[in-house]
Amino acid sequence: MTNHVQAPGARFNFARHLIERNAGRPARTAYIDDQGSLTFAALAEQIQRMSAALLATGLRREERVLLLMHDCIDWPVGFLGAMHAGIVPVAVNTLLTADDYAYMLRHSRSQAVLVSAALVPVLREAMDVATAMGGHEVKTIIVSRSDTALPEDAVGFSQLLDEHAPASAPADTGPDDPGFWLYSSGSTGRPKGTLHSHANPYWTAELYGTAVLGLTEADVCFSAAKLFFAYGLGNALSFPLSVGATTILMAERATPDATFRRWRGDIGATRPTVFFGAPTGYAGMLASPRLLSRDEVSLRLCSSAGEALPADLGERFLAHFGCDIIDGIGSTEMLHIFLSNRPGTIRYGTTGWPVPGYEVELRGETGGPVPEGEPGDLYIQGPSAALMYWNDREKSRQTFLGPWTKSGDKYLHNADGSFTYAGRSDDMLKVSGIYVSPFEVEGTLALHPAVLEAAVIGVLDADGLPKSKAFVVLKQDAAVSEADLKAFVKDRLAPYKYPRMIEFVDDLPKTATGKIQRFKLREREA
């Protein structure tokens, strides 16, 4: 038992757990998206149909299925249908490149792909790249919401559900059995396949969604963070389904206007009561010329994660909407938030206090505790930690240290017990809530024929939010515009990774051995 929450039993299947939780509210709406809605009874039936369908395609227990889909009702059906069958869904970012997906297909050895129709072209390209790299193991492609005829090697999502009766029973899994993967970005190299168990989403829902946020079946949840993020997976699946709340899903990008349409109830005639976003999104909404008034929304609570929430931003949002933003920090490795402010106990400018059920420690470079008032590396202990990184023993050993998980963040401990963010332990940047490796961006900039070398750091914008800035040294007599360099990066990396600012300089600060001193660039910008 953790913090008075009953641990799952010896046999536990997360999909079955959610179905049983909601068996008493069959007619209540579970999901609303741009094309319709789904009741809890229909959700349970479709999960069980997908479970049977995946097994019928030849997939076996613990084999992987890549889930490359925009947020819609089919997403939780596919994800939970796989878990129900004991198959392991690998949820991936829809904003990546074909090269990224080719790596993930090969790394995960996925036997099937659940894919949105709009993403089939990039999947096809990824499969070609994977074939050129030595091959992939995809045997089945299941396409969500296609309005055109499918090729012979693909099947429609709805067609597959219609062809199979609901599975009579879930896979006989235990709480520590592999449940699903999420990919976590690294400061160098390829993303890491992070394995989570069937019990991990249960713990985050109980310890944070219910105990801290106080979600109930009366709530309507809406997350700007997509389901493929650990943050979004809790916000729009684990948390609401654990209490019988309704969830609004949005396939399009979470612009202020798109968010406001859902806040007003334009989609499904339902206004959200709880919104989950990131500081960059909140800043964009407050700056929008079409900013809604307080009486146009029904929000009782907002959540923020992904990057530190500036105090001024939280206070301005509260003054306008009369609704607090509960800021916290989580990670792919811990699955959701472990350090957070909470309703009724908020200190803007801090990340709050440890979520009950989790412990945190600040440690120095030698691994011992840091003196009070000094920044230290943040370590977390809690029941939702990932099992490991797939096929990467060294990074697993560096991150998962017995019961403790190293976060990669630095924090300060305040006198009132709260914690304040003090930066990263590595050079990773978080831009709009998504990790970006400066080394990857620098390497891409260096591919341009006009660029001699480049260095990328994070700087704060007028709202106090981090943005990436590149310092670029051009080759002798070469010329290129800032706009052209940005477009060059966008063409080669996931679009969100491009540097928001570029400054051309004559040289970069370096050590005697030629290593770029990014800290001097950060000091110059401070």
Side-chain angles (χ1 to χ4, degrees), residues 56-351:
T57 67
L59 280 162
R60 296 172 297 177
R61 183 164 166 174
E62 294 187 15
E63 288 185 328
R64 271 76 65 191
V65 53
L66 198 79
L67 202 164
L68 175 60
M69 293 172 62
H70 293 129
D71 281 19
C72 69
I73 288 169
D74 287 350
W75 205 106
V77 170
F79 183 85
L80 292 171
M83 293 186 73
H84 188 274
I87 295 164
V88 179
V90 180
V92 298
N93 189 330
T94 59
L95 304 173
L96 302 179
T97 66
D99 286 347
D100 293 321
Y101 299 133
Y103 168 78
M104 291 171 178
L105 285 172
R106 287 174 50 77
H107 181 249
S108 67
R109 298 197 283 273
S110 289
Q111 304 293 304
V113 181
L114 294 165
V115 60
S116 291
L119 296 169
V120 169
V122 72
L123 171 64
R124 292 288 192 196
E125 185 181 350
M127 293 171 68
D128 290 342
V129 172
T131 298
M133 294 168 61
H136 59 79
E137 300 183 29
V138 176
K139 302 177 182 67
T140 305
I141 301 173
I142 302 166
V143 183
S144 168
R145 296 187 170 178
S146 176
D147 55 5
T148 60
L150 295 173
E152 290 184 0
D153 63 347
V155 62
F157 195 102
S158 297
Q159 175 191 342
L160 199 64
L161 294 182
D162 292 341
E163 292 175 350
H164 292 86
S168 58
D172 183 25
T173 52
D176 293 333
D177 279 351
F180 59 94
W181 292 21
L182 301 171
Y183 272 96
S184 176
S185 299
S187 56
T188 58
R190 292 290 195 174
K192 304 180 290 293
T194 310
L195 276 68
H196 280 285
S197 71
H198 272 264
N200 284 1
Y202 165 84
W203 285 116
T204 61
E206 296 296 321
L207 296 175
Y208 189 71
T210 301
V212 172
L213 296 183
L215 298 180
T216 72
E217 69 173 358
D219 280 313
V220 177
C221 298
F222 172 42
S223 176
K226 302 302 184 183
L227 281 159
F228 59 74
F229 289 116
Y231 181 48
L233 184 65
N235 304 340
L237 191 148
S238 307
F239 296 179
L241 293 186
S242 291
V243 298
T246 297
T247 302
I248 297 171
L249 295 178
M250 177 175 70
E252 65 183 302
R253 192 166 63 90
T255 62
D257 284 351
T259 301
F260 290 157
R261 285 197 294 274
R262 276 77 184 176
W263 282 12
R264 285 195 306 259
D266 294 358
I267 309 298
T270 303
R271 290 182 177 183
T273 61
V274 180
F275 175 72
F276 302 85
T280 297
Y282 288 114
M285 286 185 281
L286 288 176
S288 171
R290 289 181 284 277
L291 178 63
L292 300 183
S293 63
R294 183 180 299 195
D295 60 6
E296 290 181 276
V297 303
S298 300
L299 298 171
R300 71 167 185 84
L301 183 69
C302 286
S303 165
S304 179
E307 55 198 352
L309 178 74
D312 175 68
L313 186 57
E315 290 162 356
R316 285 193 288 122
F317 188 91
L318 173 61
H320 183 82
F321 287 109
C323 176
D324 271 313
I325 299 177
I326 309 299
D327 187 31
I329 183 176
S331 68
T332 305
E333 290 75 11
M334 293 303 296
L335 190 55
H336 213 274
I337 289 172
F338 49 79
L339 191 64
S340 181
N341 286 271
R342 58 204 65 186
T345 309
I346 295 175
R347 182 181 170 192
Y348 282 120
T350 78
T351 314

Side-chain angles (χ1 to χ4, degrees), residues 450 474-480:
L474 297 179
K475 294 176 182 176
Q476 187 173 0
D477 298 327
V480 64

Side-chain angles (χ1 to χ4, degrees), residues 358-417:
Y358 294 85
E359 296 179 48
V360 301
E361 287 185 359
L362 298 184
R363 302 179 186 176
E365 293 182 2
T366 61
V370 296
E372 197 67 25
E374 292 188 12
D377 292 316
L378 182 68
Y379 288 74
I380 314 101
Q381 181 176 179
S384 62
L387 300 173
M388 64 174 176
Y389 296 130
W390 176 258
N391 203 18
D392 199 333
R393 180 170 182 171
E394 183 57 32
K395 288 183 179 177
S396 294
R397 293 176 67 180
Q398 292 171 6
T399 301
F400 305 107
L401 310 171
W404 294 92
T405 300
K406 184 177 182 180
S407 73
D409 296 292
K410 287 187 178 291
Y411 265 84
L412 287 164
H413 188 217
N414 303 313
D416 63 357

Side-chain angles (χ1 to χ4, degrees), residues 437-479:
S437 168
F439 309 108
E440 183 181 26
V441 181
E442 290 165 2
T444 303
L445 285 166
L447 294 175
H448 193 283
V451 174
L452 177 64
E453 56 186 355
V456 176
I457 65 169
V459 299
L460 299 181
D461 66 11
D463 289 310
L465 297 169
K467 295 291 182 286
S468 55
K469 179 174 181 176
F471 295 85
V472 174
V473 179
L474 297 179
K475 294 176 182 176
Q476 187 173 0
D477 298 327

